[in-house]
Amino acid sequence: MKRFKGIYWRTFTVTVGMVALTLVLLGASFFSLTYSYIMTEKRSELKDRAEIIAQMALDAYAKAGSWLARQDDLRTMVGVAQQMSGTDFLIWIPQEGEFLGTSSELNNQKISLPEAMYQKLAKGEVYMGVSTLGFYEKPRAVVAVPARTEGWVEIGPVLAIAEPNTMTEMWRAFLGIFGMTAVTVLLIAFVATATTTMQQTKPIRDMASASRKFAEGNFDARVHRTGRDDEIGELIDSFNSMADSLQRTEQQRREFIANISHELKTPMTTIAGYADGILDGVISRSEERQYLAIISDESRRLARLVRRMLDVSQLQSMDLIMQKTPFDLSESMRRVLVSMEKKITSRGLDVDVEIPEDPVMVLGDNDLLTQVVYNLLENAAKFASQGSTLFLGLEKKGEKAVVTVRNAGQTISSEELPLLFERFHKSDRSRSEDKDGVGLGLYIVRTILEQHREKITAASEDGVTTFSFTVQLAAEESGKNV
């Protein structure tokens, strides 16, 4: 039963049902109109025939002078008319006081005329209706024309009676044609609906199948568009785009687990190895302090790694749009520079600073954007050549403030530049020079700026590496730049 509750069968049933209902309503309306038209035409035809028979009777009586002389001839003549038209005729003969019928069965029979017919004929009007006349088994269409008089002769009324088969023959033919047409239309609707619905539901079934594969951890499944340019095609594109995103996320998750496992394994292995060496007496008493210092450094590096990972997790769950407030970015950059003074001087570096003396008000989270400047400046100082110059600058461009950090050192290849902001990424030279890093500093920078809807760029050429990022100016600063 579940199979027949799907979109395919629902759409198919509704469409075919609507077509069938339309055909039924159309057929009923057309039947009503045609039946009424046929009855009107038939009654008009019966009226004309009754008037002709009345005129024939008058002519026959006028020539013969009496009914007895021409009665047989009149019966024969009217009988021929009855056979040709399929219509019975009754002629009331006033002088004889009886009905003259066109068939032997009608002769000398007791005929019951409806009261409505008497009233119509008494007014000189034509009667049209349905009656058995007390003789026929089933009602028949009856048309009665009032008495006609020509000179001293009076004939009538004359009744024309149509058999049921003659009244419904055309209608039955219509029903046959309509039935064939309805069956043909239903078959066409059946095939067209089945084909169209199948085309609509197949991509949905494919997406459901792919979703089940995603749940099983297989992110390679995709849905083929097959040249569709409708809403289903857009849905397929969106689904495949989502699948690509899920696959990238899964790949990043695996890389993250691999990277974090590597980063955690190294200090933990070092700590465990040296600790076991001290406990087992492999390391001499004179060397214990040296190795304990190494254990202490590795423990701190492990703590920094865990802290940075928690920072990243918190940043990704924050909604900074609601936390943006105006603050002076130039002052925050000066504080960063002061806090970095010891690290900078320890490497014999000079600093070239281009920060406006006037406040530069920007919109954002002060602490997090200060962390961005700190991470970039720390990274630049760490990898700058001994005795070189660092550059820290701030300028306004349109509605944005642009912060630039630059150092002189080794050139970073164009292939590696996009990877600098990935989690746990370290270049070969940084692995040898950066013993304390965990590979999350620039990733945190990118995460904070993405939360602020801002961008950061990196360029490296001829040993000079430059990082630049934008921050939205506060409303009053934007107004000054207009």
Side-chain angles (χ1 to χ4, degrees):
M1 290 297 293
K2 184 177 181 180
R3 178 182 179 86
F4 296 96
K5 294 182 180 179
I7 295 177
Y8 174 85
W9 288 106
R10 290 177 183 175
T11 306
F12 177 82
T13 303
V14 169
T15 305
V16 174
M18 289 297 296
V19 172
L21 179 62
T22 302
L23 289 174
V24 170
L25 294 177
L26 182 62
S29 301
F30 196 63
F31 161 74
S32 177
L33 291 174
T34 54
Y35 187 78
S36 176
Y37 174 78
I38 292 172
M39 289 296 294
T40 301
E41 289 294 314
K42 191 65 177 178
R43 287 171 177 173
S44 178
E45 180 183 347
L46 291 176
K47 174 177 174 295
D48 294 339
R49 291 175 179 174
E51 290 177 347
I52 292 174
I53 295 300
Q55 187 63 44
M56 291 171 61
L58 281 172
D59 293 344
Y61 188 85
K63 291 179 181 179
S66 69
W67 277 108
L68 294 175
R70 297 299 300 271
Q71 193 176 69
D72 293 337
D73 293 340
L74 183 61
R75 287 183 187 277
T76 301
M77 183 171 54
V78 177
V80 172
Q82 187 270 339
Q83 292 178 359
M84 294 179 63
S85 63
T87 305
D88 289 338
F89 296 98
L90 286 175
I91 306 173
W92 175 254
I93 309 299
Q95 293 82 354
E96 304 295 333
E98 63 180 12
F99 276 106
L100 173 67
T102 57
S103 62
S104 59
E105 291 84 358
L106 287 170
N107 292 324
N108 302 318
Q109 295 293 332
K110 183 178 181 180
I111 305 298
S112 299
L113 300 183
E115 181 64 25
M117 182 184 296
Y118 277 117
Q119 294 178 1
K120 283 277 188 179
L121 295 175
K123 296 178 182 179
E125 298 177 355
V126 176
Y127 169 81
M128 296 183 181
V130 177
S131 175
T132 62
L133 299 177
F135 172 73
Y136 297 103
E137 294 182 359
K138 296 181 179 179
R140 297 192 178 192
V142 179
V143 174
V145 297
R148 298 190 61 175
T149 304
E150 188 171 320
W152 52 272
V153 180
E154 181 180 5
I155 297 295
V158 177
L159 279 64
I161 307 159
E163 297 181 5
N165 58 342
T166 61
M167 293 294 295
T168 59
E169 183 176 350
M170 182 177 177
W171 177 69
R172 289 175 179 174
F174 160 74
L175 281 183
I177 296 174
F178 179 80
M180 292 179 60
T181 304
V183 171
T184 303
V185 171
L186 283 174
L187 287 176
I188 294 174
F190 178 88
V191 175
T193 304
T195 303
T196 304
T197 308
M198 183 69 70
Q199 291 177 349
Q200 291 177 345
T201 57
K202 185 179 183 302
I204 298 176
R205 290 198 300 270
D206 292 343
M207 283 186 277
S209 176
S211 299
R212 287 190 290 269
K213 292 180 180 179
F214 294 164
E216 297 171 356
N218 179 10
F219 294 94
D220 295 328
R222 296 293 184 274
V223 179
H224 298 293
R225 179 167 181 165
T226 61
R228 299 188 67 125
D229 294 326
D230 54 5
E231 291 81 358
I232 297 293
E234 294 179 4
L235 178 61
I236 292 173
D237 289 342
S238 299
F239 182 87
N240 288 336
S241 177
M242 179 197 68
D244 293 337
S245 178
L246 288 174
Q247 191 172 41
R248 287 193 299 269
T249 301
E250 176 64 14
Q251 182 65 28
Q252 291 173 357
R253 183 187 69 84
R254 293 177 181 177
E255 292 176 356
F256 175 77
I257 294 175
N259 290 332
I260 197 172
S261 299
H262 178 271
E263 295 293 336
L264 290 174
K265 180 179 67 175
T266 301
M268 292 176 67
T269 301
T270 302
I271 293 171
Y274 289 146
D276 290 341
I278 294 173
L279 291 174
D280 296 339
V282 176
I283 298 175
S284 63
R285 290 283 183 177
S286 61
E287 295 176 329
E288 282 185 3
R289 186 173 185 83
Q290 174 186 351
Y291 288 105
L292 286 173
I294 295 175
I295 292 174
S296 177
D297 291 339
E298 292 296 317
S299 298
R300 290 190 180 91
R301 189 160 78 90
L302 188 59
R304 285 196 300 274
L305 174 61
V306 174
R307 187 167 57 252
R308 285 296 181 92
M309 290 172 57
L310 291 174
D311 292 341
V312 170
S313 177
Q314 291 175 354
L315 285 172
Q316 291 175 335
S317 63
M318 292 174 65
D319 185 6
L320 298 180
I321 301 300
M322 303 298 295
Q323 301 180 26
K324 287 185 176 182
T325 56
F327 70 95
D328 183 5
L329 181 58
S330 60
E331 179 62 26
S332 298
M333 291 175 64
R334 292 189 185 96
R335 289 201 303 267
V336 171
L337 194 58
V338 171
S339 66
M340 288 285 297
E341 182 178 1
K342 183 176 180 181
K343 291 185 178 181
I344 293 173
T345 55
S346 64
R347 292 185 55 81
L349 302 175
D350 293 329
V351 181
D352 182 12
V353 179
E354 293 185 7
I355 300 176
E357 295 183 0
D358 297 331
V360 178
M361 303 301 294
V362 297
L363 193 63
D365 188 287
N366 189 358
D367 293 337
L368 293 177
L369 290 176
T370 299
Q371 181 69 37
V372 169
V373 178
Y374 184 91
N375 285 8
L376 290 176
L377 194 59
E378 181 185 40
N379 187 75
K382 188 182 300 180
F383 299 109
S385 300
Q386 193 77 19
S388 63
T389 300
L390 296 179
F391 174 80
L392 179 63
L394 173 63
E395 61 178 332
K396 299 177 184 178
K397 288 186 178 181
E399 297 182 353
K400 298 286 186 178
V402 181
V403 178
T404 303
V405 178
R406 184 167 55 241
N407 73 333
Q410 295 185 18
T411 302
I412 303 175
S413 66
S414 57
E415 294 80 9
E416 190 177 353
L417 280 174
L419 304 176
L420 293 177
F421 300 98
E422 297 296 330
R423 289 175 294 191
F424 300 110
H425 176 76
K426 293 183 181 181
S427 63
D428 292 338
R429 65 183 179 88
S430 70
R431 288 194 181 274
S432 60
E433 297 177 10
D434 182 17
K435 300 298 183 183
D436 298 327
V438 295
L440 289 174
L442 293 180
Y443 177 75
I444 291 175
V445 166
R446 188 186 69 176
T447 302
I448 293 174
L449 292 176
E450 285 179 348
Q451 292 284 66
H452 281 79
R453 306 293 191 269
E454 302 293 349
K455 295 181 179 179
I456 184 170
T457 59
S460 185
E461 187 176 358
D462 298 331
V464 178
T465 302
T466 304
F467 292 91
S468 297
F469 68 91
T470 60
V471 183
Q472 179 67 44
L473 290 170
E476 57 270 20
E477 291 290 336
S478 299
K480 292 177 183 179
N481 293 332
V482 174

